[in-house]
Amino acid sequence: MKVLVMGGSQFNGYSLVMELVKHGHEVTVLNRGRTAVDFPRSVRRLVADRTDHDQARSVLSGESFDVVQDMSAYHPDDVELMVEVFEGRVGHYIFASSTVIYAPADILPITEDHPVDRGPHQIEYGLHKLLCEDILIDAWRRRGFPATIVPFSMVFGPRNILADREQRMILRLLRGRPVLIPGDGTTVGQVGHVDDQSRALRMMMLQPQTFGKRYNLTGGTYQSDEGYVDTFAEVLGTEADKVFIPAPVMDDLWDGTLVFEEGQASPVKIDIRSSDEARANADQTRRRFKLAQLVQRLAPNLHRWNRSVVFSVDRLRTDIGWEPDYTLAAMVDHVHRWMVAEGLDQSLDLDFTFEDQIAAHVQTMQDRGHG
């Protein structure tokens, strides 16, 4: 097939390009050309800034494709342009969305029919993904534009540009650092491997049963927070120095009543009601995302630290016969081997100050008999 990948130079997009080339597809990528990347020689590269609509129209003028895999659309304007440019000139348009669109759930797993969250706690990224989906569903229903929506969730693998996820955990263990685990470590989460996800995107191409539908895309297994840490340690051949953060402390950290100021070893108790509301909300969002880096967690703006979050991938299994190959252990091994090959196990520099502050506070509590 003749396939256009919007993006293609980093992580998800690069994995998809390699998967498509491996299976003999004629691949074109369109991006700004700013990221140095060693594509196979067969890959054709178009250069344009998709946010410059006139430039993108000019570059894509006269182009037609069997499939457009859109890995870099983050705003409604991005998708409106694609529908305008490719209506009648594409057999299938696949949009990479995100599972951050979904509202918190007490009944798991979360399926594609679960309510979405457009409320005040949703961040711009999630809201804009939803607005992009709205445009595509409307175009499919009104004019038959052949679109499929694919919310990704917690993508794991080599070349991840978010080093604060699996790469951070690997560094903690390799360097013998404390590994902080929220609460008692029983909260359940889920990750998926980038290559499994690229295979799913390839398998759904030009499958008409997928038109006008949403498909969750992540791994096929789940693990507790402690199980996540233990799996990393086992694969790396290390022992995890596990520090469990008592639930009341996590609650205070999460709610912003216990904070660590920069350069300050001891936490400060604050009355969030007396803070400027806008600033307090922004600070709280930043703190929660930092706390979600302790053990890889999804959308802390929506899901509390102790809320399990699991997604169903059964619709993909049923409609295209896809099944994820990677276990969590295989994912960890793949990323570790890549980091060693790239020298990142030695050279990657991440700031662990926030973790050290929490670990010291927990130790102080235990020394005083409050742990």
Side-chain angles (χ1 to χ4, degrees):
M1 299 180 199
K2 189 178 178 183
V3 184
L4 171 66
V5 178
M6 297 292 293
S9 295
Q10 296 181 331
F11 197 36
N12 296 301
Y14 181 82
S15 173
L16 176 59
V17 168
M18 301 304 288
E19 171 74 11
L20 294 171
V21 169
K22 182 173 71 174
H23 287 269
H25 295 288
E26 182 183 340
V27 180
T28 299
V29 300
L30 184 145
N31 52 49
R32 294 174 297 177
R34 296 178 182 176
T35 301
V37 58
D38 186 19
F39 285 126
R41 294 179 64 180
S42 63
V43 174
R44 175 183 173 223
R45 194 168 190 178
L46 301 176
V47 177
D49 182 346
R50 68 178 303 159
T51 64
D52 183 335
H53 289 192
D54 290 338
Q55 184 184 64
R57 287 190 192 95
S58 175
V59 169
L60 292 171
S61 176
E63 299 279 352
S64 61
F65 297 92
D66 297 309
V67 179
V68 172
Q69 296 267 10
D70 198 341
M71 308 298 289
S72 62
Y74 300 105
H75 307 289
D77 288 350
D78 298 339
V79 167
E80 286 177 342
L81 177 65
M82 291 295 99
V83 174
E84 173 196 328
V85 168
F86 286 113
E87 192 156 19
R89 293 199 283 126
V90 68
H92 193 184
Y93 175 86
I94 299 174
F95 168 66
S97 187
S98 171
T99 54
V100 303
I101 63 173
Y102 292 113
D106 292 321
I107 298 176
L108 300 174
I110 296 172
T111 68
E112 292 85 352
D113 298 321
H114 183 76
V116 298
D117 196 317
R118 300 175 189 260
H121 297 296
Q122 184 61 272
I123 58 175
E124 180 183 283
Y125 175 78
L127 180 58
H128 280 205
K129 285 292 187 180
L130 282 168
L131 294 175
C132 290
E133 291 193 13
D134 292 344
I135 293 165
L136 293 172
I137 292 299
D138 183 71
W140 160 251
R141 290 174 176 171
R142 290 176 180 271
R143 305 190 303 279
F145 184 75
T148 300
I149 294 163
V150 186
F152 283 46
S153 186
M154 303 303 285
V155 189
F156 192 120
R159 299 175 63 95
N160 194 342
I161 60 176
L162 299 174
D164 280 320
R165 291 183 173 178
E166 60 268 29
Q167 296 168 47
R168 177 177 280 269
M169 184 61 73
I170 287 172
L171 288 189
R172 288 188 191 105
L173 291 162
L174 292 180
R175 297 175 184 177
R177 295 190 54 82
V179 180
L180 276 64
I181 300 176
D184 63 2
T186 58
T187 303
V188 174
Q190 180 184 25
V191 296
H193 193 274
V194 66
D195 293 344
D196 276 341
Q197 298 184 1
S198 295
R199 184 164 48 84
L201 293 174
R202 173 185 58 80
M203 291 175 65
M204 74 170 47
M205 294 194 305
L206 290 185
Q207 297 289 334
Q209 69 272 25
T210 70
F211 295 174
K213 291 183 183 179
R214 179 194 288 152
Y215 291 86
N216 294 337
L217 182 52
T218 185
T221 59
Y222 329 122
Q223 60 284 322
S224 68
D225 285 353
E226 186 175 14
Y228 181 92
V229 172
D230 287 344
T231 301
F232 271 76
E234 182 177 353
V235 171
L236 298 174
T238 63
E239 182 126 1
D241 177 14
K242 293 184 278 191
V243 177
F244 292 89
I245 307 172
V249 176
M250 276 302 301
D251 285 336
D252 284 346
L253 289 167
W254 198 260
D255 294 331
T257 57
L258 180 68
V259 300
F260 289 92
E261 301 292 348
E262 188 173 348
Q264 189 170 307
S266 300
V268 177
K269 284 273 190 177
I270 64 171
D271 181 359
I272 57 175
R273 293 170 299 178
S274 64
S275 303
D276 175 79
E277 185 175 357
R279 180 178 177 182
N281 288 339
D283 289 346
Q284 186 179 76
T285 298
R286 284 192 293 270
R287 281 194 301 270
R288 288 179 178 179
F289 273 90
K290 289 177 73 173
L291 289 166
Q293 296 167 3
L294 300 178
V295 176
Q296 191 168 347
R297 305 296 302 167
L298 174 79
N301 55 304
L302 299 177
H303 305 285
R304 195 169 180 83
W305 68 269
N306 56 352
R307 180 186 288 276
S308 295
V309 185
V310 170
F311 299 95
S312 170
V313 292
D314 286 346
R315 182 175 286 180
L316 272 175
R317 289 184 169 115
T318 299
D319 283 9
I320 66 171
W322 171 84
E323 190 71 35
D325 286 339
Y326 278 83
T327 63
L328 178 60
M331 296 184 208
V332 175
D333 180 63
H334 193 188
V335 172
H336 178 231
R337 288 188 286 107
W338 166 76
M339 288 182 68
V340 170
E342 296 292 323
L344 291 171
D345 58 323
Q346 303 295 325
S347 64
L348 185 59
D349 185 22
L350 297 176
D351 185 0
F352 290 96
T353 303
F354 182 65
E355 297 178 27
D356 291 340
Q357 291 171 325
I358 297 174
H361 178 64
V362 171
Q363 184 62 54
T364 298
M365 290 184 60
Q366 292 173 344
D367 292 343
R368 293 174 178 172
H370 299 302

